[in-house]
Amino acid sequence: CDIISHNMLSGRMCFNIPGKVVQAFFGFCDIRNFTDITEILTRDVVKVVNTFADIVHTAVTDNEGIPNKNIGDAFLVVWKPKQGISAQTMAENALRSYVRVILVSQTSQRLLELSSRPEIQQRIPGFKMRMGFGIHYGWGIECAIGSQFKIEASYLSPHVNMAARLEGATKQYGVAILISEATHALFAPAIQQLCRRLDRVTLKGSDFPMDLYTYDVAPARPDHDVSDFTAPVPALDFFQRVAPPWSSREFRARYNQAVGHYLGDTAPLDWHRAVELFEECLNEEEDEPCRRLMQFIYDTADSDGEPPRDWPGYRQLIEK
């Protein structure tokens, strides 16, 4: 309301008022398999969107964030550091919001009933309602966009686009959440250690490599109640006790060692050793990032199984 009212003069949109540059965490979340869901449920797909909207908006608002846009099957949400709340707290609030959305969605009776419909299960056996999430930190232009006929608060920035790219890339790694390097760097060290570095990439629209991270959200237990995820506990308590990652410390250490050999930054560049460590991880847990990175190595390595001579230490993700 404040953003829009700032751009209104005598009840009309003023086109000569500039936007405001802010630093913020931009989050983009998207409902999975939305085309299939829409074709199957037709008008009842609105129940799915509004159920997810309620879960997302509530989690974000409870964690000092702002729901900004509803875009069909996607939502843009924003966390702005402000007086009395540090960037670290806001970064952790953003991740906490996403973890909460995943867990509350898994326990939502309405979503369970909709995903259990025979016509959905016939087309997508074993289907469950899910979302993908991207989070990135950077500058954005906070402004009102529109005309005298329609006006809305918005954020314009390549960093907003980057959050959407991250969400899209979750499918390439088989994870629910992708966290940018800029966001991960602001977590408390104890929370950083609960995340996994997935890769180093350039995303479409950027020439600068960045590390990508994820948080391994454990499935909600049958005895979980929504109140378990919504209680106002300190961030570290939430991530260590309420919603700890499914991956063990030992698993993450072995996985991170494999990634170090794959990228050649925290360990000697050695794709043979990286594959061996990824295989050890897979012997312990079924893990999509391990499989996807091994496949990339197999597809990219030279005839000796080592990186090609022009390997820059990162890869390009060119899909939107």
Side-chain angles (χ1 to χ4, degrees):
C1 293
D2 291 341
I3 299 172
I4 293 176
S5 62
H6 178 69
N7 284 263
M8 300 293 288
L9 292 176
S10 302
R12 295 178 66 85
M13 175 79 172
C14 179
F15 297 99
N16 293 320
I17 297 177
K20 177 183 177 183
V21 178
V22 298
Q23 293 292 129
F25 297 91
F26 299 104
F28 200 85
C29 21
D30 178 83
I31 301 171
R32 293 282 197 252
N33 299 96
F34 191 70
T35 300
D36 289 316
I37 296 170
T38 302
E39 291 176 353
I40 297 167
L41 295 181
T42 59
R43 64 181 185 176
D44 278 350
V45 75
V46 176
K47 299 177 182 178
V48 175
V49 175
N50 284 335
T51 300
F52 271 121
D54 180 58
I55 294 171
V56 170
H57 291 182
T58 302
V60 169
T61 302
D62 285 352
N63 286 284
E64 304 290 345
I66 306 166
N68 178 247
K69 288 185 185 297
N70 307 320
I71 318 165
D73 60 335
F75 306 96
L76 175 64
V77 290
V78 181
W79 293 264
K80 292 190 298 179
K82 47 193 173 185
Q83 187 173 6
I85 303 179
S86 66
Q88 176 186 310
T89 297
M90 279 303 198
E92 294 163 1
N93 281 351
L95 178 58
R96 181 172 178 160
S97 298
Y98 280 173
V99 173
R100 173 171 155 179
V101 168
I102 291 171
L103 295 173
V104 172
S105 298
Q106 290 176 358
T107 59
S108 166
Q109 194 59 40
R110 184 178 300 130
L111 291 178
L112 288 171
E113 290 172 356
L114 287 165
S115 62
S116 298
R117 288 193 179 182
E119 57 269 36
I120 286 186
Q121 291 300 317
Q122 184 175 2
R123 180 184 290 195
I124 317 172
F127 174 78
K128 294 180 180 178
M129 298 287 180
R130 297 178 300 119
M131 297 189 80
F133 306 85
I135 181 70
H136 181 57
Y137 180 67
W139 61 266
I141 302 170
E142 185 179 76
C143 56
I145 297 292
S147 67
Q148 61 179 317
F149 302 103
K150 180 175 178 11
I151 185 171
E152 62 183 9
S154 189
Y155 293 87
L156 307 178
S157 170
H159 297 291
V160 176
N161 296 337
M162 190 65 67
R165 300 276 190 268
L166 289 169
E167 185 284 319
T170 59
K171 304 180 186 74
Q172 298 183 52
Y173 292 95
V175 297
I177 300 173
L178 273 183
I179 304 160
S180 71
E181 181 177 354
T183 303
H184 181 266
L186 290 168
F187 294 157
I191 295 175
Q192 289 179 342
Q193 292 172 12
L194 297 175
C195 300
R196 277 199 287 164
R197 182 169 67 147
L198 292 185
D199 208 345
R200 187 161 182 80
V201 306
T202 56
L203 293 167
K204 188 175 178 66
S206 174
D207 296 326
F208 300 100
M210 72 161 72
D211 285 339
L212 303 183
Y213 296 83
T214 194
Y215 186 87
D216 298 316
V217 183
R221 300 191 310 268
D223 61 334
H224 265 145
D225 185 83
V226 170
S227 61
D228 296 334
F229 317 127
T230 59
V233 299
L236 189 56
D237 190 32
F238 177 84
F239 291 113
Q240 289 184 335
R241 182 184 60 82
V242 178
W246 61 257
S247 54
S248 67
R249 181 182 301 176
E250 295 74 21
F251 179 90
R252 291 194 300 274
R254 186 180 297 111
Y255 176 88
N256 289 336
Q257 187 181 357
V259 171
H261 283 298
Y262 154 62
L263 295 176
D265 52 7
T266 60
L269 182 64
D270 185 342
W271 280 12
H272 286 293
R273 183 57 181 151
V275 168
E276 289 175 357
L277 289 165
F278 284 136
E279 288 176 340
E280 288 180 19
C281 289
L282 286 170
N283 288 334
E284 183 180 337
E285 299 280 357
E286 288 292 324
D287 185 59
E288 278 302 311
C290 283
R291 296 186 187 282
R292 307 291 174 94
L293 289 177
M294 285 175 63
Q295 190 60 55
F296 174 75
I297 290 174
Y298 293 147
D299 292 342
T300 309
D302 62 20
S303 58
D304 294 324
E306 290 297 345
R309 290 190 176 183
D310 59 352
W311 166 246
Y314 61 88
R315 62 167 162 157
Q316 294 179 316
L317 296 184
I318 58 175
E319 296 180 22
K320 287 190 176 183

